[in-house]
């Protein structure tokens, strides 16, 4: 007698088997970062990646791991990031002749990284440092959302057509949605979430890569003003640590 397992059971068994390999891969990629997530968040992150890999027809463990790699840098929800249309197009658009889906994604990621990150992270580190100097004043501007967008463009001033290329309206709409989801209110909250969305990725408020976002606002109580102050203060401290890490990792002078 042949026993046929329900599809949900088969998927669960497959995930359990592959999870160990994906976890090992991520630990090799950045042990400190992924251990700090905790098992529940790490498992949720891997499940998101595996689900996406299945959705786009990735057949091999290595393909799923490359998708996890992209998620680790661009955010778990990069497929819906209005800035990263070429990434989503590579995975779900018309096939590129001669390339698999993940190969097309790799090409799109490489082109983006060459322009925004740099081969040694120098472009990214320099832009992040420049943004860090402008973020505080932008939050206190008469129009903090517009000022935050301007700060992003000035930080990446070496890309002169960036103001035209950025989907500013969609970025602001996503930022407002994130602010509302976090129990924040007002233009300063939208500006803060716009900055976080740019550097961490769209949907950062529900991203298992960033559990500290929800932890900080929930720990501040129900007041929207207190929640905003807590998130802004912690974001500033975390930004400082990130800049120090980039300097130590890359030797880039900031």
């Amino acid at each position: 007698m042949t026993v046929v397992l329900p599809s949900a059971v088969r998927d669960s068994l497959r995930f359990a088997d592959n999870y160990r390999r994906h976890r090992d891969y991520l630990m090799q990629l950045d042990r400190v970062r992924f251990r700090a997530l905790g098992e529940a968040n790490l498992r949720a992150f891997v499940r998101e990646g595996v689900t996406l890999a299945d959705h786009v027809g990735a057949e091999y463990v290595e393909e799923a791991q490359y998708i996890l790699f992209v998620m680790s840098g661009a955010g778990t929800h990069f497929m819906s990031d209005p800035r990263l249309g070429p990434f989503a197009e590579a995975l779900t658009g018309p096939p590129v002749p001669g390339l698999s889906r993940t190969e097309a994604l790799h090409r799109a990621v490489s082109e983006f990284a060459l322009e925004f990150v740099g081969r040694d992270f120098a472009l990214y580190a320099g832009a992040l440092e420049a943004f860090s100097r402008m973020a505080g004043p932008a939050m206190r501007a008469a129009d903090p959302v517009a000022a935050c967008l301007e700060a992003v463009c000035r930080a990446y001033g070496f890309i002169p057509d960036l103001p035209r290329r950025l989907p500013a309206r969609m970025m602001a709409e996503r930022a407002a949605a994130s602010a509302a989801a976090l129990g924040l209110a007002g233009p300063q909250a939208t500006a803060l979430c716009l900055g976080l969305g740019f550097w961490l990725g769209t949907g950062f408020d529900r991203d298992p890569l960033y559990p500290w976002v929800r932890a900080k606002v929930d720990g501040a109580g129900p007041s929207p003003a207190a929640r905003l102050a807590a998130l802004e203060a912690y974001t500033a401290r975390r930004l400082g640590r990130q800049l120090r890490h980039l300097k130590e990792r890359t030797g880039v002078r900031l």
Side-chain angles (χ1 to χ4, degrees):
M1 177 179 176
T2 301
V3 177
V4 179
L5 295 175
S7 59
V9 174
R10 293 198 305 271
D11 290 344
S12 179
L13 291 172
R14 182 169 67 91
F15 177 80
D17 180 54
N18 286 335
Y19 174 70
R20 290 188 290 270
R21 285 187 277 181
H22 294 321
R23 185 180 185 278
D24 290 346
Y25 165 75
L26 292 171
M27 292 300 170
Q28 292 174 9
L29 191 64
D30 191 334
R31 177 172 294 274
V32 173
R33 180 188 187 190
F34 288 106
R35 282 192 67 178
L37 287 182
E39 186 65 19
N41 287 309
L42 181 58
R43 184 174 288 270
F45 173 69
V46 172
R47 189 173 290 281
E48 291 275 2
V50 168
T51 299
L52 176 56
D54 287 344
H55 176 69
V56 301
E59 298 180 357
Y60 302 105
V61 168
E62 293 78 10
E63 291 180 301
Q65 289 175 350
Y66 183 71
I67 288 173
L68 288 169
F69 168 76
V70 175
M71 288 167 53
S72 74
T76 297
H77 308 291
F78 75 86
M79 289 288 287
S80 59
D81 195 314
R83 299 168 300 143
L84 302 178
F87 292 14
E89 180 74 8
L91 288 178
T92 60
V96 178
L99 297 180
S100 69
R101 290 291 189 183
T102 50
E103 287 170 340
L105 175 60
H106 175 67
R107 186 167 73 176
V109 169
S110 297
E111 292 173 355
F112 179 89
L114 190 62
E115 187 174 22
F116 285 89
V117 179
R119 296 188 183 277
D120 57 358
F121 275 79
L123 299 180
Y124 174 85
L128 186 62
E129 193 275 336
F131 179 81
S132 73
R133 289 186 275 104
M134 295 181 282
M139 286 285 290
R140 311 296 172 237
D143 185 344
V145 177
C148 185
L149 278 167
E150 182 181 0
V152 167
C153 293
R154 288 175 61 192
Y156 273 103
F158 51 86
I159 306 178
D161 64 340
L162 185 60
R164 177 180 58 80
R165 291 165 53 188
L166 277 182
R169 180 176 177 180
M170 291 184 68
M171 289 170 62
E173 289 173 351
R174 299 291 174 85
S178 291
L182 292 170
L184 311 177
Q188 286 187 337
T190 299
L192 177 59
C193 289
L194 191 150
L196 285 167
F198 182 85
W199 296 104
L200 302 182
T202 196
F204 69 91
D205 54 289
R206 62 186 189 280
D207 195 325
L209 287 173
Y210 309 113
W212 54 268
V213 172
R214 175 62 64 177
K216 290 302 170 184
V217 296
D218 287 348
S223 164
R227 293 167 79 88
L228 174 61
L231 182 58
E232 183 180 4
Y234 186 76
T235 297
R237 292 197 297 273
R238 196 174 183 94
L239 177 57
R241 291 201 301 270
Q242 175 69 1
L243 287 169
R244 289 193 296 272
H245 171 70
L246 283 167
K247 185 175 182 179
E248 292 168 0
R249 174 180 175 180
T250 65
V252 175
R253 296 184 62 183
L254 299 176

